[in-house]
Amino acid sequence: MTARNAQERLLDVKGLTVEIDGRRGPAVIVDGIDLHVGKGETLGVVGESGCGKSLTMLSLMRLLPNKIKVTKGTAEFDGRDLHKMSTRELRKVRGGDIGFVFQDPMTSLNPVMRIGDQLCEPLIYHRKMAKADARKRAVELLRLVGIPGPEERLEAYPHELSGGMRQRVMIAIGLACDPKLLIADEPTTALDVTIQAQIVDLVKDLRNKLGMSVVWITHDLALIAGLADRVVVLYAGTVVEDAPVDDLYANPSHPYTRGLLASIPTLSDAPTARLSSIGGTPPEPGRRPAGCPFAPRCPLAMDICRREVPKLEPISSGGSHRAACFAVNKALKAA
Amino acid sequence: MSAEPLLRVENLVKHFHVRLGAFGEKAATVYALDDVSLDIQEGETLSLVGESGCGKSTTGFTILNLHRASGGKVIYKGQDLTRLDEKTMRLFRRDLQIVFQDPYSTLNPRMTVGEAIGEPMLFHKLTTRAQLKDKTAALLQDVGLPTRFASRYPHELSGGQRQRVVIARALACQPKFIVCDEAISALDVSIQAQIINLLLDLQEKYRLTYLFIAHDLAVVRHISTRVGVMYLGRLAELAPRDALFQTPLHPYTKALLSAVPETDPERERNRKRQILQGDVPSPLDPPSGCRFHTRCPIAMEVCSRTVPEWSAARPGHLVACHAVNSGVS
């Protein structure tokens, strides 16, 4: 693993709140999220659909769709608040210091532009490279992400490549300007396991070579185990647990994290007759219950959980492992 | 295993004829299924795994005659289903049901849950109008939904609830055999476990036989009796669950298992993965000989020339690999 001393924060998000202007009035989708990424650190952001993980990351780049707005909070990147930058300043950051890899390589590449031109675009725009130099760099990038015959591939259109190859091209574009931070939003969800293993291997390798920070958004707790230094678990727009990767899997604390881990069958456990599952369904965005959003599904729920929202509090001596749960904190105080 | 199987698939072949090029000027053939043979025993869960385009869903569709087979047989109750016309086939459809992947597109948005579940019962004359309401309510209870859901529309339900409705609809015909085509893939992790448990409960209660088509190997290991691994339209390996996961023989099975991530950071970091190079070749132009030879780490010269024989390496453990058959690996 790279730099474990993640004191120096590259990205520091505080109290981020995102609201949607729905038919039933404004609804909170992301509710005061705090998260940070250290230099050289890989942060896993885990949660199920609708938990706000993608919107959180899109909001950093101000790429939110219409009617969805950031209403509170700050997001400092390298000491500057992304939300206060002018569009012009922000444009320099997007694709420059912050690289993005989106989930769906089928729709996020321009279908009528050759791969080479799409790769050169950020290099010419951000790094002011001459076309010929940009093309040389594009070939290097394609080679870096393991695409065979990179010179010929520059001339290809996205539809001529397989899904795995397209995702590699997406990663190459994300890496084009040597970003300080790479944000990858479920980059392997649409891919088969053997291709997923290739991509994960590639990102690990590049991270170690280039020393960049990575935010990897996923719903897959197994995938992130071997990749992240630290993991943040989201539920219904809030952070419920934040821990160094080994702590999280050895000692999952929030009942949601525990339920999630228990409900994943693995290749190493003895296959049991029934899987443990979390009853009920996550609340719809904008229809969250009062108090802790997980309370209606929680086996440990107490009265207070239905009234008040628990804060993210340290549960380990060093303070690096935090959970937002009344029951966990109560048990800690009693011990 | 020697008992008469519920369903026998013999040398099933499926080709799709497609037109390529911007104006459809080029005719081509997709070799989707090639010489697939398997028996499905009553009460078992036989899973088919493999990557996209390997033909696992096509196998399920072709068995149910939703795709017309290009060759081979599907024997059920002494009849070859592939030769039946649509009208005769309808009589068999009662026994043979399917649950599709996407619970959003497989329910008619204009039909209430009750209507969706009731329709197959009325069609197959399994109920009278008078009894319909009670039977629908019983089915909803079977799949763990409140009976008041009968009057709801699909858009009012969550993904997991919809999938329960789809399962109830399949159950309405009192089937013997259900093809679960990626039935849990579209659901969130916490909901997946609920649906898997439901499928297991129903299997026990009604002695159902499942053909479970999935790409998640951990889930497959959890619920299967036997597992078949497919690659580019052919079966690579077929074995009882524990044999397949503990002593896989085919190099593709080994690579597939090695690619599955585990929820253990320490092990994941230190794990030696066998990472396959390249992509799955196109089924429009599958490789000669063994279709896996272009990516196989132990390919020999013979592999590119001859199709490996589908043979039993151990009793009940079938594999198609020259290296395994000749004792190299």
Side-chain angles (χ1 to χ4, degrees), chain A residues 114-154:
Chain A
R114 293 178 198 273
I115 297 298
D117 295 336
Q118 300 195 49
L119 262 166
C120 290
E121 201 175 37
L123 293 167
I124 293 168
Y125 180 83
H126 290 291
R127 298 288 176 259
K128 313 282 180 251
M129 278 188 185
K131 184 107 196 246
D133 295 336
R135 285 186 83 80
K136 264 184 223 149
R137 171 81 178 134
V139 171
E140 273 171 39
L141 283 164
L142 288 182
R143 193 168 289 135
L144 187 73
V145 296
I147 290 182
E151 286 88 357
E152 298 90 80
R153 291 296 186 185
L154 287 184

Side-chain angles (χ1 to χ4, degrees), chain B residues 21-86:
Chain B
F23 304 100
E25 72 277 14
K26 264 192 318 199
T29 307
V30 180
Y31 298 90
L33 274 191
D34 191 14
D35 204 13
V36 169
S37 298
L38 43 89
D39 288 348
I40 302 172
Q41 306 292 333
E42 192 169 357
E44 80 166 334
T45 301
L46 176 66
S47 292
L48 288 180
V49 297
E51 298 177 280
S52 20
C54 73
K56 54 192 193 297
S57 291
T58 308
T59 306
F61 275 64
T62 314
I63 287 176
L64 295 187
N65 218 346
L66 295 169
H67 289 329
R68 278 266 164 211
S70 312
K73 291 178 185 168
V74 177
I75 310 287
Y76 177 73
K77 286 188 172 165
Q79 291 269 5
D80 182 359
L81 299 183
T82 63
R83 287 169 185 275
L84 298 181
D85 59 70
E86 199 43 50

Side-chain angles (χ1 to χ4, degrees), chain A residues 83-143:
Chain A
H83 293 143
K84 294 209 178 92
M85 281 183 191
S86 68
T87 316
R88 241 173 107 184
E89 286 175 301
L90 190 67
R91 226 179 259 152
K92 290 196 179 132
V93 178
R94 288 180 186 152
D97 283 344
I98 301 184
F100 238 97
V101 180
F102 297 98
Q103 173 169 359
D104 187 358
M106 309 294 164
T107 54
S108 28
L109 288 170
N110 186 337
V112 293
M113 234 173 125
R114 293 178 198 273
I115 297 298
D117 295 336
Q118 300 195 49
L119 262 166
C120 290
E121 201 175 37
L123 293 167
I124 293 168
Y125 180 83
H126 290 291
R127 298 288 176 259
K128 313 282 180 251
M129 278 188 185
K131 184 107 196 246
D133 295 336
R135 285 186 83 80
K136 264 184 223 149
R137 171 81 178 134
V139 171
E140 273 171 39
L141 283 164
L142 288 182
R143 193 168 289 135

Side-chain angles (χ1 to χ4, degrees), chain A residues 39-274:
Chain A
K39 291 201 170 147
E41 187 183 37
T42 299
L43 176 73
V45 177
V46 178
E48 297 179 283
S49 31
C51 74
K53 54 191 191 299
S54 296
L55 285 178
T56 301
M57 292 308 149
L58 286 175
S59 77
L60 297 183
M61 295 280 80
R62 303 226 298 259
L63 292 172
L64 290 173
N66 270 346
K67 294 196 170 177
I68 299 183
K69 286 189 189 73
V70 174
T71 51
K72 268 184 233 144
T74 57
E76 277 191 10
F77 174 74
D78 229 3
R80 293 192 298 161
D81 191 341
L82 291 167
H83 293 143
K84 294 209 178 92
M85 281 183 191
S86 68
T87 316
R88 241 173 107 184
E89 286 175 301
L90 190 67
R91 226 179 259 152
K92 290 196 179 132
V93 178
R94 288 180 186 152
D97 283 344
I98 301 184
F100 238 97
V101 180
F102 297 98
Q103 173 169 359
D104 187 358
M106 309 294 164
T107 54
S108 28
L109 288 170
N110 186 337
V112 293
M113 234 173 125
R114 293 178 198 273
I115 297 298
D117 295 336
Q118 300 195 49
L119 262 166
C120 290
E121 201 175 37
L123 293 167
I124 293 168
Y125 180 83
H126 290 291
R127 298 288 176 259
K128 313 282 180 251
M129 278 188 185
K131 184 107 196 246
D133 295 336
R135 285 186 83 80
K136 264 184 223 149
R137 171 81 178 134
V139 171
E140 273 171 39
L141 283 164
L142 288 182
R143 193 168 289 135
L144 187 73
V145 296
I147 290 182
E151 286 88 357
E152 298 90 80
R153 291 296 186 185
L154 287 184
E155 303 303 323
Y157 287 98
H159 75 266
E160 296 173 82
L161 304 179
S162 68
M165 284 295 158
R166 267 180 259 193
Q167 198 54 285
R168 281 161 192 266
V169 171
M170 285 296 296
I171 292 173
I173 293 174
L175 293 173
C177 300
D178 300 317
K180 293 176 182 159
L181 175 67
L182 182 74
I183 298 178
D185 186 0
E186 305 240 17
T188 60
T189 304
L191 305 175
D192 282 313
V193 275
T194 61
I195 310 296
Q196 168 173 291
Q198 291 174 3
I199 301 280
V200 167
D201 229 46
L202 170 73
V203 171
K204 273 188 191 171
D205 196 42
L206 292 174
R207 176 193 63 191
N208 296 344
K209 259 189 221 154
L210 309 173
M212 63 185 174
S213 308
V214 178
V215 174
W216 189 291
I217 304 168
T218 180
H219 65 275
D220 189 341
L221 270 166
L223 177 67
I224 205 69
L227 191 64
D229 298 312
R230 202 157 50 81
V231 178
V232 163
V233 182
L234 296 189
Y235 184 79
T238 59
V239 174
V240 295
E241 191 158 358
D242 174 352
V245 70
D246 294 285
D247 281 4
L248 188 87
Y249 291 85
N251 186 18
S253 298
H254 196 281
Y256 175 64
T257 315
R258 272 190 264 169
L260 214 50
L261 275 169
S263 64
I264 304 173
T266 71
L267 288 185
S268 47
D269 308 341
T272 47
R274 290 177 65 86

Side-chain angles (χ1 to χ4, degrees), chain B residues 297-319:
Chain B
I298 56 165
M300 305 178 293
E301 210 242 310
V302 61
C303 302
S304 59
R305 278 187 282 112
T306 328
V307 177
E309 213 178 308
W310 182 234
S311 59
R314 290 194 284 260
H317 194 148
L318 292 139
V319 64

